[in-house]
Amino acid sequence: MNITPAKPADVAVDQTPSTLPANASEGSCAGRSVVAAPAVASHVSSAAGDDYCLSDMRQANPTELKQRETTYWVGVDGGGTKTAATIFGQDGKVLGRGKSGCSNTCTVGVEDSAKTIMTAVHEALAKADLKVSALGSMYAGIGLAGVNQEPQRSQMQNYKFPFAGFYLDTDVYSACLGAFDGKDGAILILGTGSCGGIMNNGELTTLAGWGFPISDQASGARLGLAAIQYALKAHEGIKDKTPLSEEIMATLFHNRAEDAVGWQQKAKPADYGKVAELITRHLKQGDALAKQLMQGAAEEAAEMIRCLLKRGASGCALVGGLSGHIKPFLPEDLARVTFIPGPDRDALHGALKMAEQAYLETVKVTHNTPASTV
């Protein structure tokens, strides 16, 4: 897909790019979709934070859309542990932020993913002091883990979100847009899950990211699994105990190896990812196991980075909660060509660009709709 690089977030929305989104090509990151049919809330309480049913949404006609006086952008970054939503004004100013839990469609399903997204959006609404009715004047960019796979992709594309329009793609796509301000580049997400991607001429091709435990190398989930495996061995005297292994056994399994059986039968990737939080804490304290695990994750990350470089990338942005912990363990040659984007180049700013594109696509559809002859 060819995307004209957008200007910084404070650009006026009437800057129409020369090239509009096309369908994702074969072998590229699937999931790109502009849902331009506007919708507004009907029979919905206007109190911010109130619960409501997403099925109680009606379609707004183009005339109603054009009559709206205020338009807002909504950026959503949905991952395996948390979901963040930010509401922006037309000038790019942040009006409100919200957070919620896991919205990876492959982990929680489409319905729960959508509800989790809207929970974060509702919190952002409250922080922005906006009513629920304002949703019908919002254009959303949704970068979401799991929509690189079917049927999650098509189901989420057809979901009746209460926005005027929304642009859906993977979290890799939104993160890459944000990190490189809409330009070409390569990215590696290192969070609860992991996935790489490279943007060439506006077309994104992904690498790995096929889910835990078969993929998601160098991810928090994989780190958590490896830590638990070691802790069980250390508990039985096969390996040496460390403060990290002892805390895992005490907090997760009450120092009973048999308790691990029931835990793992119910555990999701996010549960393993929480163990990675223990690893990073003990890493600061010099724990030998934490260092060993992080070195192993860095080796897995290095493999993916080298693959992205072979595909033509000159450098690679590292994003996600583990990126800052893994980067110091990378080989020196890779440390020189990787960077961690600043807060003004995060996935939510990539989602902002997607929201702007959703608006442009909606306006295009509206302008191309023939006048009724009835």
Side-chain angles (χ1 to χ4, degrees):
M1 185 183 85
N2 190 4
I3 294 180
T4 301
K7 293 185 178 181
D10 59 354
V11 68
V13 298
D14 60 354
Q15 301 293 319
T16 305
S18 60
T19 308
L20 292 171
N23 293 330
S25 65
E26 185 71 23
S28 69
C29 176
R32 203 148 314 142
S33 176
V34 178
V35 179
V40 294
S42 176
H43 309 297
V44 175
S45 170
S46 62
D50 282 357
D51 194 13
Y52 60 89
C53 178
L54 289 178
S55 61
D56 290 337
M57 301 298 164
R58 64 179 175 84
Q59 296 297 310
N61 60 48
T63 302
E64 184 178 4
L65 172 66
K66 292 174 69 176
Q67 290 175 344
R68 298 195 187 285
E69 296 180 356
T70 305
T71 299
Y72 304 96
W73 312 134
V74 184
V76 176
D77 178 29
T81 298
K82 63 182 180 181
T83 300
T86 300
I87 297 175
F88 301 87
Q90 285 194 8
D91 59 357
K93 180 181 178 181
V94 173
L95 303 180
R97 302 180 188 272
K99 290 184 179 180
S100 54
C102 171
S103 60
N104 185 322
T105 56
C106 292
T107 301
V108 301
V110 169
E111 284 287 337
D112 285 346
S113 176
K115 290 177 181 178
T116 301
I117 288 170
M118 292 311 301
T119 297
V121 171
H122 265 286
E123 183 177 322
L125 275 173
K127 297 288 180 63
D129 197 24
L130 293 172
K131 296 181 179 180
V132 171
S133 58
L135 290 170
S137 298
M138 294 184 179
Y139 294 83
I142 304 174
L144 186 60
V147 295
N148 61 326
Q149 301 179 43
E150 286 286 7
Q152 290 84 357
R153 176 174 67 250
S154 58
Q155 289 175 356
M156 188 59 76
Q157 287 171 352
N158 294 322
Y159 203 90
K160 294 188 181 300
F161 283 107
F163 306 119
F166 68 96
Y167 189 119
L168 173 71
D169 208 312
T170 65
D171 54 342
V172 183
Y173 182 75
S174 58
C176 199
L177 278 184
F180 294 96
D181 198 28
K183 302 176 179 66
D184 287 350
I187 196 164
L188 181 60
I189 295 179
L190 300 170
T192 301
S194 70
C195 189
I198 181 169
M199 190 91 76
N200 281 318
N201 297 318
E203 191 70 31
L204 182 71
T205 303
T206 58
L207 176 71
W210 298 113
F212 172 82
I214 62 170
S215 184
D216 286 15
Q217 297 87 342
S219 69
R222 287 276 287 256
L223 272 170
L225 174 59
I228 290 172
Q229 290 172 331
Y230 184 102
L232 287 169
K233 290 180 180 179
H235 182 74
E236 295 185 312
I238 302 172
K239 296 282 190 180
D240 293 331
K241 292 182 179 180
T242 76
L244 171 58
S245 72
E246 290 182 312
E247 182 171 355
I248 289 172
M249 290 303 303
T251 58
L252 263 65
F253 311 130
H254 309 97
N255 288 315
R256 290 166 47 89
E258 55 266 38
D259 285 2
V261 178
W263 184 90
Q264 63 90 24
Q265 289 175 341
K266 299 178 181 179
K268 296 181 178 180
D271 297 313
Y272 287 96
K274 290 177 182 178
V275 180
E277 297 176 6
L278 298 179
I279 297 172
T280 57
R281 176 158 57 80
H282 281 274
L283 181 66
K284 296 177 181 178
Q285 299 167 1
D287 186 274
L289 173 58
K291 292 177 66 176
Q292 174 185 321
L293 292 169
M294 203 61 67
Q295 183 62 55
E299 291 172 1
E300 291 183 333
E303 289 181 340
M304 291 187 284
I305 295 169
R306 293 193 190 282
C307 184
L308 291 170
L309 295 176
K310 288 179 181 178
R311 294 184 180 184
S314 58
C316 182
L318 304 179
V319 301
L322 286 173
S323 56
H325 301 286
I326 289 178
K327 182 172 167 54
F329 289 87
L330 291 174
E332 184 177 348
D333 63 321
L334 295 184
R336 290 196 300 266
V337 297
T338 56
F339 70 98
I340 297 176
D344 61 336
R345 292 291 182 89
D346 62 6
L348 284 168
H349 282 75
L352 167 61
K353 295 180 183 296
M354 293 163 64
E356 292 172 344
Q357 193 65 46
Y359 169 80
L360 294 170
E361 282 291 303
T362 303
V363 171
K364 178 185 176 184
V365 170
T366 301
H367 288 171
N368 290 339
T369 300
S372 175
T373 59
V374 178

